[in-house]
PDB file of all heavy atoms in Angstrom:
ATOM      1  N   ALA A   1     -36.071 104.601  91.558  1.00  0.00           N
ATOM      2  CA  ALA A   1     -35.904 103.327  92.181  1.00  0.00           C
ATOM      3  C   ALA A   1     -35.166 102.337  91.134  1.00  0.00           C
ATOM      4  O   ALA A   1     -35.794 101.818  90.309  1.00  0.00           O
ATOM      5  CB  ALA A   1     -37.274 102.599  92.574  1.00  0.00           C
ATOM      6  N   GLY A   2     -33.862 102.167  91.332  1.00  0.00           N
ATOM      7  CA  GLY A   2     -33.108 101.496  90.348  1.00  0.00           C
ATOM      8  C   GLY A   2     -33.214 100.077  90.291  1.00  0.00           C
ATOM      9  O   GLY A   2     -33.146  99.324  89.309  1.00  0.00           O
ATOM     10  N   ALA A   3     -33.411  99.477  91.503  1.00  0.00           N
ATOM     11  CA  ALA A   3     -33.495  98.020  91.716  1.00  0.00           C
ATOM     12  C   ALA A   3     -34.074  97.511  93.014  1.00  0.00           C
ATOM     13  O   ALA A   3     -34.241  98.484  93.967  1.00  0.00           O
ATOM     14  CB  ALA A   3     -32.085  97.436  91.614  1.00  0.00           C
ATOM     15  N   VAL A   4     -34.647  96.397  93.028  1.00  0.00           N
ATOM     16  CA  VAL A   4     -35.183  95.812  94.247  1.00  0.00           C
ATOM     17  C   VAL A   4     -34.602  94.415  94.468  1.00  0.00           C
ATOM     18  O   VAL A   4     -34.364  93.680  93.404  1.00  0.00           O
ATOM     19  CB  VAL A   4     -36.770  95.714  94.132  1.00  0.00           C
ATOM     20  CG1 VAL A   4     -37.279  94.891  92.975  1.00  0.00           C
ATOM     21  CG2 VAL A   4     -37.340  95.182  95.521  1.00  0.00           C
ATOM     22  N   MET A   5     -34.281  94.098  95.757  1.00  0.00           N
ATOM     23  CA  MET A   5     -33.599  92.855  96.052  1.00  0.00           C
ATOM     24  C   MET A   5     -34.357  92.221  97.208  1.00  0.00           C
ATOM     25  O   MET A   5     -35.023  92.871  98.045  1.00  0.00           O
ATOM     26  CB  MET A   5     -32.158  93.099  96.436  1.00  0.00           C
ATOM     27  CG  MET A   5     -31.277  93.424  95.314  1.00  0.00           C
ATOM     28  SD  MET A   5     -29.597  94.026  95.854  1.00  0.00           S
ATOM     29  CE  MET A   5     -30.019  95.685  96.352  1.00  0.00           C
ATOM     30  N   LEU A   6     -34.354  90.959  97.253  1.00  0.00           N
ATOM     31  CA  LEU A   6     -35.100  90.180  98.316  1.00  0.00           C
ATOM     32  C   LEU A   6     -34.219  89.829  99.475  1.00  0.00           C
ATOM     33  O   LEU A   6     -33.028  89.438  99.275  1.00  0.00           O
ATOM     34  CB  LEU A   6     -35.714  88.816  97.789  1.00  0.00           C
ATOM     35  CG  LEU A   6     -36.465  88.938  96.395  1.00  0.00           C
ATOM     36  CD1 LEU A   6     -36.894  87.638  96.016  1.00  0.00           C
ATOM     37  CD2 LEU A   6     -37.734  89.922  96.646  1.00  0.00           C
ATOM     38  N   CYS A   7     -34.728  89.967 100.629  1.00  0.00           N
ATOM     39  CA  CYS A   7     -34.028  89.448 101.779  1.00  0.00           C
ATOM     40  C   CYS A   7     -34.624  88.199 102.400  1.00  0.00           C
ATOM     41  O   CYS A   7     -35.850  87.918 102.189  1.00  0.00           O
ATOM     42  CB  CYS A   7     -34.116  90.601 102.967  1.00  0.00           C
ATOM     43  SG  CYS A   7     -33.148  92.111 102.551  1.00  0.00           S
ATOM     44  N   GLY A   8     -33.872  87.479 103.175  1.00  0.00           N
ATOM     45  CA  GLY A   8     -34.432  86.086 103.593  1.00  0.00           C
ATOM     46  C   GLY A   8     -35.543  86.277 104.507  1.00  0.00           C
ATOM     47  O   GLY A   8     -36.310  85.244 104.626  1.00  0.00           O
ATOM     48  N   ASP A   9     -35.738  87.386 105.155  1.00  0.00           N
ATOM     49  CA  ASP A   9     -36.894  87.406 106.059  1.00  0.00           C
ATOM     50  C   ASP A   9     -38.079  88.144 105.387  1.00  0.00           C
ATOM     51  O   ASP A   9     -39.005  88.619 106.054  1.00  0.00           O
ATOM     52  CB  ASP A   9     -36.564  88.231 107.309  1.00  0.00           C
ATOM     53  CG  ASP A   9     -36.089  89.687 106.894  1.00  0.00           C
ATOM     54  OD1 ASP A   9     -35.998  89.973 105.855  1.00  0.00           O
ATOM     55  OD2 ASP A   9     -35.931  90.385 108.014  1.00  0.00           O
ATOM     56  N   GLU A  10     -38.068  88.163 104.038  1.00  0.00           N
ATOM     57  CA  GLU A  10     -39.082  88.683 103.215  1.00  0.00           C
ATOM     58  C   GLU A  10     -39.122  90.177 103.235  1.00  0.00           C
ATOM     59  O   GLU A  10     -39.904  90.872 102.628  1.00  0.00           O
ATOM     60  CB  GLU A  10     -40.547  88.223 103.576  1.00  0.00           C
ATOM     61  CG  GLU A  10     -40.657  86.645 103.358  1.00  0.00           C
ATOM     62  CD  GLU A  10     -42.148  86.234 103.397  1.00  0.00           C
ATOM     63  OE1 GLU A  10     -43.006  87.139 103.480  1.00  0.00           O
ATOM     64  OE2 GLU A  10     -42.334  85.061 103.489  1.00  0.00           O
ATOM     65  N   ALA A  11     -38.091  90.784 103.852  1.00  0.00           N
ATOM     66  CA  ALA A  11     -37.881  92.300 103.649  1.00  0.00           C
ATOM     67  C   ALA A  11     -37.198  92.611 102.299  1.00  0.00           C
ATOM     68  O   ALA A  11     -36.909  91.546 101.448  1.00  0.00           O
ATOM     69  CB  ALA A  11     -36.936  92.814 104.774  1.00  0.00           C
ATOM     70  N   LEU A  12     -37.129  93.753 101.959  1.00  0.00           N
ATOM     71  CA  LEU A  12     -36.686  94.168 100.618  1.00  0.00           C
ATOM     72  C   LEU A  12     -35.500  95.208 100.799  1.00  0.00           C
ATOM     73  O   LEU A  12     -35.520  95.988 101.739  1.00  0.00           O
ATOM     74  CB  LEU A  12     -37.699  94.854  99.793  1.00  0.00           C
ATOM     75  CG  LEU A  12     -38.985  94.035  99.446  1.00  0.00           C
ATOM     76  CD1 LEU A  12     -40.042  94.970  98.704  1.00  0.00           C
ATOM     77  CD2 LEU A  12     -38.626  92.813  98.707  1.00  0.00           C
ATOM     78  N   ILE A  13     -34.594  95.207  99.811  1.00  0.00           N
ATOM     79  CA  ILE A  13     -33.615  96.338  99.713  1.00  0.00           C
ATOM     80  C   ILE A  13     -33.944  97.053  98.435  1.00  0.00           C
ATOM     81  O   ILE A  13     -34.114  96.312  97.351  1.00  0.00           O
ATOM     82  CB  ILE A  13     -32.169  95.839  99.751  1.00  0.00           C
ATOM     83  CG1 ILE A  13     -31.896  95.159 100.973  1.00  0.00           C
ATOM     84  CG2 ILE A  13     -31.213  96.985  99.332  1.00  0.00           C
ATOM     85  CD1 ILE A  13     -30.472  94.475 101.059  1.00  0.00           C
ATOM     86  N   VAL A  14     -34.219  98.227  98.444  1.00  0.00           N
ATOM     87  CA  VAL A  14     -34.494  99.033  97.303  1.00  0.00           C
ATOM     88  C   VAL A  14     -33.416 100.127  97.133  1.00  0.00           C
ATOM     89  O   VAL A  14     -33.002 100.848  98.087  1.00  0.00           O
ATOM     90  CB  VAL A  14     -35.866  99.805  97.354  1.00  0.00           C
ATOM     91  CG1 VAL A  14     -36.196 100.516  96.048  1.00  0.00           C
ATOM     92  CG2 VAL A  14     -36.993  98.711  97.629  1.00  0.00           C
ATOM     93  N   ALA A  15     -32.845 100.189  95.822  1.00  0.00           N
ATOM     94  CA  ALA A  15     -31.818 101.156  95.481  1.00  0.00           C
ATOM     95  C   ALA A  15     -32.541 102.371  95.078  1.00  0.00           C
ATOM     96  O   ALA A  15     -33.283 102.377  93.990  1.00  0.00           O
ATOM     97  CB  ALA A  15     -30.910 100.580  94.371  1.00  0.00           C
ATOM     98  N   VAL A  16     -32.339 103.404  95.787  1.00  0.00           N
ATOM     99  CA  VAL A  16     -33.147 104.724  95.499  1.00  0.00           C
ATOM    100  C   VAL A  16     -32.117 105.722  95.342  1.00  0.00           C
ATOM    101  O   VAL A  16     -31.359 106.138  96.220  1.00  0.00           O
ATOM    102  CB  VAL A  16     -34.084 105.094  96.580  1.00  0.00           C
ATOM    103  CG1 VAL A  16     -34.921 106.429  96.238  1.00  0.00           C
ATOM    104  CG2 VAL A  16     -35.143 103.998  96.942  1.00  0.00           C
ATOM    105  N   ASP A  17     -31.997 106.265  94.072  1.00  0.00           N
ATOM    106  CA  ASP A  17     -31.006 107.373  93.800  1.00  0.00           C
ATOM    107  C   ASP A  17     -29.680 106.843  94.224  1.00  0.00           C
ATOM    108  O   ASP A  17     -29.082 105.927  93.461  1.00  0.00           O
ATOM    109  CB  ASP A  17     -31.392 108.685  94.465  1.00  0.00           C
ATOM    110  CG  ASP A  17     -32.607 109.296  93.923  1.00  0.00           C
ATOM    111  OD1 ASP A  17     -32.901 109.065  92.782  1.00  0.00           O
ATOM    112  OD2 ASP A  17     -33.342 110.050  94.732  1.00  0.00           O
ATOM    113  N   HIS A  18     -28.960 107.335  95.193  1.00  0.00           N
ATOM    114  CA  HIS A  18     -27.678 107.049  95.538  1.00  0.00           C
ATOM    115  C   HIS A  18     -27.558 106.116  96.797  1.00  0.00           C
ATOM    116  O   HIS A  18     -26.534 105.775  97.328  1.00  0.00           O
ATOM    117  CB  HIS A  18     -26.828 108.253  95.997  1.00  0.00           C
ATOM    118  CG  HIS A  18     -26.649 109.254  94.722  1.00  0.00           C
ATOM    119  ND1 HIS A  18     -27.521 110.180  94.463  1.00  0.00           N
ATOM    120  CD2 HIS A  18     -25.688 109.284  93.788  1.00  0.00           C
ATOM    121  CE1 HIS A  18     -27.216 110.823  93.285  1.00  0.00           C
ATOM    122  NE2 HIS A  18     -25.954 110.277  92.895  1.00  0.00           N
ATOM    123  N   ASP A  19     -28.730 105.647  97.333  1.00  0.00           N
ATOM    124  CA  ASP A  19     -28.824 104.910  98.613  1.00  0.00           C
ATOM    125  C   ASP A  19     -29.359 103.545  98.457  1.00  0.00           C
ATOM    126  O   ASP A  19     -30.258 103.435  97.491  1.00  0.00           O
ATOM    127  CB  ASP A  19     -29.593 105.701  99.690  1.00  0.00           C
ATOM    128  CG  ASP A  19     -28.921 107.004  99.987  1.00  0.00           C
ATOM    129  OD1 ASP A  19     -27.705 107.172 100.086  1.00  0.00           O
ATOM    130  OD2 ASP A  19     -29.617 108.092 100.260  1.00  0.00           O
ATOM    131  N   LEU A  20     -28.992 102.603  99.335  1.00  0.00           N
ATOM    132  CA  LEU A  20     -29.786 101.329  99.473  1.00  0.00           C
ATOM    133  C   LEU A  20     -30.513 101.439 100.750  1.00  0.00           C
ATOM    134  O   LEU A  20     -30.005 101.727 101.764  1.00  0.00           O
ATOM    135  CB  LEU A  20     -28.646 100.147  99.577  1.00  0.00           C
ATOM    136  CG  LEU A  20     -27.685  99.992  98.320  1.00  0.00           C
ATOM    137  CD1 LEU A  20     -26.740  98.731  98.688  1.00  0.00           C
ATOM    138  CD2 LEU A  20     -28.523  99.704  97.100  1.00  0.00           C
ATOM    139  N   ARG A  21     -31.801 101.059 100.561  1.00  0.00           N
ATOM    140  CA  ARG A  21     -32.673 101.289 101.790  1.00  0.00           C
ATOM    141  C   ARG A  21     -33.374  99.932 102.011  1.00  0.00           C
ATOM    142  O   ARG A  21     -33.716  99.125 101.124  1.00  0.00           O
ATOM    143  CB  ARG A  21     -33.777 102.248 101.438  1.00  0.00           C
ATOM    144  CG  ARG A  21     -33.251 103.632 101.106  1.00  0.00           C
ATOM    145  CD  ARG A  21     -34.384 104.569 100.902  1.00  0.00           C
ATOM    146  NE  ARG A  21     -33.899 105.880 100.605  1.00  0.00           N
ATOM    147  CZ  ARG A  21     -34.532 106.921 100.160  1.00  0.00           C
ATOM    148  NH1 ARG A  21     -35.909 106.856 100.106  1.00  0.00           N
ATOM    149  NH2 ARG A  21     -33.952 108.017  99.832  1.00  0.00           N
ATOM    150  N   LEU A  22     -33.329  99.533 103.415  1.00  0.00           N
ATOM    151  CA  LEU A  22     -33.934  98.288 103.814  1.00  0.00           C
ATOM    152  C   LEU A  22     -35.391  98.649 104.086  1.00  0.00           C
ATOM    153  O   LEU A  22     -35.692  99.550 104.874  1.00  0.00           O
ATOM    154  CB  LEU A  22     -33.155  97.739 105.037  1.00  0.00           C
ATOM    155  CG  LEU A  22     -33.820  96.556 105.641  1.00  0.00           C
ATOM    156  CD1 LEU A  22     -33.715  95.287 104.729  1.00  0.00           C
ATOM    157  CD2 LEU A  22     -33.110  96.196 107.036  1.00  0.00           C
ATOM    158  N   ILE A  23     -36.252  97.903 103.502  1.00  0.00           N
ATOM    159  CA  ILE A  23     -37.740  98.041 103.855  1.00  0.00           C
ATOM    160  C   ILE A  23     -38.306  96.775 104.349  1.00  0.00           C
ATOM    161  O   ILE A  23     -38.239  95.729 103.690  1.00  0.00           O
ATOM    162  CB  ILE A  23     -38.583  98.391 102.515  1.00  0.00           C
ATOM    163  CG1 ILE A  23     -38.008  99.691 101.958  1.00  0.00           C
ATOM    164  CG2 ILE A  23     -39.962  98.472 102.775  1.00  0.00           C
ATOM    165  CD1 ILE A  23     -38.593 100.043 100.610  1.00  0.00           C
ATOM    166  N   ASP A  24     -38.799  96.892 105.651  1.00  0.00           N
ATOM    167  CA  ASP A  24     -39.252  95.706 106.326  1.00  0.00           C
ATOM    168  C   ASP A  24     -40.650  95.943 106.818  1.00  0.00           C
ATOM    169  O   ASP A  24     -40.870  96.691 107.832  1.00  0.00           O
ATOM    170  CB  ASP A  24     -38.347  95.427 107.571  1.00  0.00           C
ATOM    171  CG  ASP A  24     -38.559  93.990 108.050  1.00  0.00           C
ATOM    172  OD1 ASP A  24     -39.507  93.357 107.598  1.00  0.00           O
ATOM    173  OD2 ASP A  24     -37.820  93.591 109.033  1.00  0.00           O
ATOM    174  N   GLY A  25     -41.645  95.428 106.055  1.00  0.00           N
ATOM    175  CA  GLY A  25     -43.023  95.634 106.456  1.00  0.00           C
ATOM    176  C   GLY A  25     -43.419  97.074 106.374  1.00  0.00           C
ATOM    177  O   GLY A  25     -43.041  97.784 105.391  1.00  0.00           O
ATOM    178  N   ASP A  26     -44.173  97.579 107.361  1.00  0.00           N
ATOM    179  CA  ASP A  26     -44.594  98.872 107.519  1.00  0.00           C
ATOM    180  C   ASP A  26     -43.544  99.869 108.206  1.00  0.00           C
ATOM    181  O   ASP A  26     -43.919 101.024 108.399  1.00  0.00           O
ATOM    182  CB  ASP A  26     -45.961  98.949 108.192  1.00  0.00           C
ATOM    183  CG  ASP A  26     -46.999  98.190 107.407  1.00  0.00           C
ATOM    184  OD1 ASP A  26     -46.963  98.248 106.122  1.00  0.00           O
ATOM    185  OD2 ASP A  26     -47.907  97.676 108.094  1.00  0.00           O
ATOM    186  N   ALA A  27     -42.427  99.290 108.603  1.00  0.00           N
ATOM    187  CA  ALA A  27     -41.428 100.126 109.231  1.00  0.00           C
ATOM    188  C   ALA A  27     -40.927 101.177 108.405  1.00  0.00           C
ATOM    189  O   ALA A  27     -40.883 101.007 107.049  1.00  0.00           O
ATOM    190  CB  ALA A  27     -40.240  99.254 109.765  1.00  0.00           C
TER     191      ALA A  27
END
């Protein structure tokens, strides 16, 4: 997990290996 970023709706973007992943709650 290279980095974590905040989204305006309190979701997160996490950089994992070569990908950017949107994490929104339990989805």
Side-chain angles (χ1 to χ4, degrees):
V4 59
M5 293 167 279
L6 309 177
C7 292
D9 62 355
E10 297 190 12
L12 303 174
I13 297 174
V14 181
V16 183
D17 294 333
H18 297 87
D19 296 323
L20 298 179
R21 298 182 186 172
L22 179 65
I23 299 177
D24 195 352
D26 294 328

